[in-house]
Amino acid sequence: MAVIQRFVIHELFKDKKPDIATDLLDLKNSIILDLATQLIKIKENRTAVLWGQFKENRYFPKGLIDLNKELDESKRSNLFLSLTNATMQSLHKEVNHTNSKGGYICFIEYVSYKDTRFMAAMIKNTAGIKLTNLKPTKEIHVDLSKLHQAVDVNTSGYLKSLSGNYEKNYLSFIGKGKDTDYFANAFGCIDRITPAVAVNKAPSVIRDFLGQFKVDDATQKSARAQLVKYLSDNINREVHLSKIEEIAISHLPDTCSEEDKGSFLAFSKKEQYEMPATFQARKVNVERLANIYYSTEVFNFNFNHDKIGLVGSASDSNKPILFDQETNDIIIKGEMITQEVKDKIYQATFLDIQKTDKK
């Protein structure tokens, strides 16, 4: 559970100077605390998330370092307020190059799972929120659709990265597009989950997700085959995590609950996966998933992953290529041996016989 430490709201306008709050919000006020808590929950439930790190030599990450050096709570609060103020100026500069009109910018410092975190999120006016002098004054209902942009930094992870002992992504951000990039730009965020990485991780996400529910090998293979087909059918086009979710859910046991079926997206956002909502099915990486390639000095082969099975497996009995685990033999069925292949084998064998005879 998140423990809120500091919270302030400023207002961003495109055509005039931002409206800057002069004081932090009182977290003893249940309405204020509820808003901060809801914003963090909404961010955690969003699927359209990108993971990354900071660009070098940007103001915000430097300010974050200074903030976390300060141990005095009163001085830290002042530094937090100053950092959010300066960040608003960066946001104002960036938003002027877009069609966005701005909105309320909520800055929250909190602790989650022993890590200090810093979050900034933009929300629009809703029927359930009333801000007077940038302070919530009545019951708040934050609509999920109103969290347009957000940046969440694992500050503890970022500080570890400065010493070279932490190579993981330490920030996530919501909002990727023509009129939303300005938000991530103002904080100096850079996306580190490339299409190649996303394609390579996709099979592991499905395999590990299904593994939680003791799915058998045949079902695992079916799920992987459907995933690879989906990626292969969309080479160099955008693919969607929601479709991968459908594939995973369709292979769950009938005993799984609705809660189990609804847990895939949260699972895919774990640190070891960090799957984006959409990504390009990069050709070279998809082909590596679809094919098994192996080469030695004696031979090499390149098999379509879906065409090879195991000897003794009923579900693989119709596969044209089989691997015998006991003898380590690869069996290529007769229908795979075309006349052209037969001719080449015969020619090579005939030449070897001639060479032997001459000796």
Side-chain angles (χ1 to χ4, degrees):
M1 181 179 177
V3 178
I4 314 299
Q5 295 184 316
R6 290 166 186 82
F7 184 23
V8 70
I9 299 175
H10 305 303
E11 189 169 9
L12 178 67
F13 302 98
K14 180 178 179 179
D15 299 321
K16 62 178 182 178
K17 290 183 178 180
D19 189 0
I20 303 297
T22 56
D23 300 298
L24 297 183
L25 294 169
D26 182 7
L27 294 173
K28 294 178 182 178
N29 184 316
S30 60
I31 295 174
I32 290 171
L33 182 61
D34 184 57
L35 174 59
T37 303
Q38 283 191 58
L39 285 170
I40 292 171
K41 287 183 179 178
I42 292 168
K43 181 271 302 181
E44 290 175 347
N45 290 332
R46 285 292 296 268
T47 59
V49 178
L50 294 170
W51 285 266
Q53 298 179 6
F54 287 126
K55 297 176 184 176
E56 296 179 358
N57 301 319
R58 294 299 179 105
Y59 176 83
F60 178 76
K62 288 181 179 179
L64 205 56
I65 295 171
D66 294 337
L67 174 66
N68 284 274
K69 285 180 180 177
E70 185 54 68
L71 300 179
D72 183 276
E73 288 299 309
S74 178
K75 292 180 180 178
R76 189 182 178 104
S77 293
N78 290 333
L79 280 175
F80 175 83
L81 195 59
S82 297
L83 178 58
T84 65
N85 189 333
T87 304
M88 286 298 294
Q89 310 312 314
S90 297
L91 282 166
H92 183 250
K93 186 183 296 183
E94 293 285 345
V95 79
N96 281 330
H97 302 296
T98 73
N99 291 325
S100 176
K101 295 179 180 179
Y104 293 109
I105 312 298
C106 304
F107 294 91
I108 305 169
E109 184 180 29
Y110 66 104
V111 174
S112 179
Y113 298 103
K114 298 182 181 181
D115 286 334
T116 300
R117 305 186 73 97
F118 186 106
M119 174 180 166
M122 185 176 83
I123 59 174
K124 299 284 189 178
N125 284 317
T126 73
I129 183 170
K130 181 180 179 182
L131 292 177
T132 302
N133 296 325
L134 299 177
K135 296 180 180 179
T137 57
K138 71 172 186 176
E139 185 179 359
I140 296 163
H141 301 284
V142 179
D143 187 343
L144 289 173
S145 67
K146 302 300 179 183
L147 187 59
H148 290 261
Q149 283 90 249
V151 169
D152 187 77
V153 184
N154 182 334
T155 309
S156 300
Y158 171 53
L159 296 177
K160 290 177 184 176
S161 75
L162 298 176
S163 63
N165 296 323
Y166 192 91
E167 297 181 355
K168 300 176 182 177
N169 293 320
Y170 46 74
L171 65 81
S172 61
F173 52 99
I174 297 168
K176 184 72 175 175
K178 181 180 178 182
D179 295 319
T180 57
D181 278 349
Y182 77 89
F183 203 83
N185 290 340
F187 288 87
C189 302
I190 183 171
D191 181 7
R192 290 293 297 273
I193 302 296
T194 64
V197 170
V199 169
N200 293 342
K201 286 186 175 183
S204 298
V205 176
I206 283 190
R207 181 196 65 218
D208 296 347
F209 174 73
L210 294 178
Q212 297 177 113
F213 305 100
K214 311 301 180 185
V215 168
D216 59 52
D217 291 344
T219 305
Q220 283 276 16
K221 288 175 66 177
S222 173
R224 189 187 191 282
Q226 284 192 29
L227 169 67
V228 172
K229 184 178 187 307
Y230 171 58
L231 298 176
S232 299
D233 289 345
N234 292 278
I235 289 286
N236 289 333
R237 294 202 295 265
E238 189 173 68
V239 292
H240 301 269
L241 187 60
S242 58
K243 178 61 179 178
I244 297 174
E245 177 189 29
E246 289 178 17
I247 294 171
I249 291 174
S250 69
H251 288 81
L252 285 174
D254 294 336
T255 54
C256 285
S257 66
E258 289 302 314
E259 184 179 356
D260 293 334
K261 294 176 182 178
S263 64
F264 177 80
L265 292 178
F267 184 87
S268 72
K269 290 165 62 178
K270 287 185 175 182
E271 189 177 81
Q272 64 264 47
Y273 309 118
E274 296 182 336
M275 291 295 290
T278 61
F279 56 95
Q280 185 190 56
R282 190 166 175 262
K283 186 175 187 292
V284 63
N285 298 91
V286 173
E287 288 180 344
R288 285 174 184 166
L289 293 182
N291 296 293
I292 300 173
Y293 177 79
Y294 185 71
S295 176
T296 71
E297 292 182 359
V298 179
F299 69 91
N300 64 69
F301 61 74
N302 188 0
F303 294 152
N304 184 293
H305 201 288
D306 193 42
K307 301 298 182 184
I308 189 168
L310 298 176
V311 170
S313 171
S315 61
D316 290 341
S317 60
N318 63 338
K319 297 287 179 81
I321 303 167
L322 296 174
F323 173 62
D324 190 326
Q325 293 175 288
E326 293 184 3
T327 63
N328 286 330
D329 291 332
I330 293 175
I331 302 169
I332 302 176
K333 292 186 178 180
E335 62 265 27
M336 291 289 291
I337 309 298
T338 65
Q339 188 59 49
E340 181 182 2
V341 173
K342 291 178 182 178
D343 291 342
K344 288 185 176 180
I345 292 174
Y346 176 77
Q347 183 180 16
T349 306
F350 181 69
L351 289 174
D352 286 339
I353 292 172
Q354 284 185 320
K355 290 177 182 177
T356 304
D357 289 345
K358 289 179 179 179
K359 290 180 181 179

